[in-house]
Amino acid sequence: MKKTIAIVACAAVMLLAGKANAQLGVNFGYAPVTLSSATTIGNTTTTSSSELNGFFAGVTYNYSLSKDLGVAFGLQARLNTKTSTGSGSLIVVSANDKTTTTQLLLDVPVLLNYGFPLGGSAKLSAFAGPVFSYALYGNTHVTTNTTVLGSTNTTESDYDMYGNNSSNSRFDLTGAFGLQFQYSDFRLFGGYRLGFTDLNTNDNIKTTSSGLFVGLGYNL
């Protein structure tokens, strides 16, 4: 954990320090995430998944290593959300609930990139590298409406995803790769993220993250 903090802090310092040959840009986009879990009990393993919508915004410094090769250090905030509903009923009792999960993360991508000039102001680039993530906040809010003989009672509860009794890990390391099309100072990019870190501290449960992403950027 301490090594992960050190790596994230180092990348952030390099991002904020800046250099004369660095190109500063701003990015925003859509990055849904799938959390895949495998639970092993004895010789039996069961799998499940949960999908969350994700949105991100941040800044990137792209340092030129050679004419077409560079390394981009980023710092971005990412918001993941999911809302689900359920219902059930007996003879005189009915209940329905709404569950909303909200997660806020800080990402530090470190991506090697190589550009292929297309002529004029257009360029196509391929990129790949690690993304270090830290969950700043995570909460699940549950609203339950219970109706008994026509009388409805509403209860609301909140569950801290990273509380003292939680088995969720705040740290994640993913590998990102994709393509970017740039015209003048405008950029359109997309790719895929694959998680390498187990996000559950239980010995018999393994949870990893993955997902596509697409975004727009502008070089300042």
Side-chain angles (χ1 to χ4, degrees):
M1 181 178 295
K2 291 182 179 179
K3 291 183 179 180
T4 304
I5 295 175
I7 293 173
V8 173
C10 180
V13 169
M14 295 179 67
L15 168 67
L16 297 175
K19 291 183 180 179
N21 64 339
Q23 175 65 63
L24 172 65
V26 293
N27 307 315
F28 65 93
Y30 178 61
V33 61
T34 298
L35 299 176
S36 302
S37 297
T39 302
T40 302
I41 300 177
N43 296 323
T44 303
T45 299
T46 58
T47 60
S48 62
S49 64
S50 177
E51 298 182 356
L52 294 83
N53 287 313
F55 306 89
F56 66 88
V59 295
T60 300
Y61 278 98
N62 190 35
Y63 297 92
S64 178
L65 301 177
S66 65
K67 180 180 179 180
D68 299 314
L69 180 65
V71 57
F73 296 90
L75 185 64
Q76 68 182 25
R78 178 159 50 95
L79 176 67
N80 293 334
T81 63
K82 178 182 180 179
T83 300
S84 59
T85 59
S87 62
S89 63
L90 297 174
I91 297 176
V92 296
V93 179
S94 64
N96 61 81
D97 60 74
K98 178 180 179 181
T99 302
T100 302
T101 298
T102 305
Q103 186 184 35
L104 179 62
L105 304 99
L106 185 66
D107 296 331
V108 179
V110 184
L111 304 175
L112 284 172
N113 54 87
Y114 190 86
F116 305 89
L118 300 178
S121 300
K123 181 173 68 173
L124 181 66
S125 300
F127 60 84
V131 179
F132 305 93
S133 300
Y134 179 79
L136 300 173
Y137 171 82
N139 182 73
T140 298
H141 183 79
V142 180
T143 301
T144 303
N145 296 310
T146 304
T147 302
V148 181
L149 297 176
S151 178
T152 300
N153 179 54
T154 299
T155 59
E156 298 190 28
S157 304
D158 285 280
Y159 302 93
D160 187 352
M161 294 175 61
Y162 305 102
N164 294 331
N165 298 321
S166 172
S167 61
N168 295 317
S169 173
R170 291 181 182 268
F171 294 93
D172 194 11
L173 171 62
T174 59
F177 56 91
L179 295 174
Q180 173 180 275
F181 174 76
Q182 178 175 333
Y183 183 79
S184 186
D185 290 324
F186 294 91
R187 294 176 286 111
L188 172 65
F189 57 91
Y192 189 80
R193 293 172 290 110
L194 180 63
F196 301 130
T197 305
D198 186 357
L199 300 177
N200 196 304
T201 59
N202 284 329
D203 292 337
N204 64 326
I205 302 176
K206 182 177 181 180
T207 301
T208 56
S209 65
S210 62
L212 297 170
F213 61 90
V214 60
L216 294 172
Y218 181 78
N219 294 332
L220 302 176

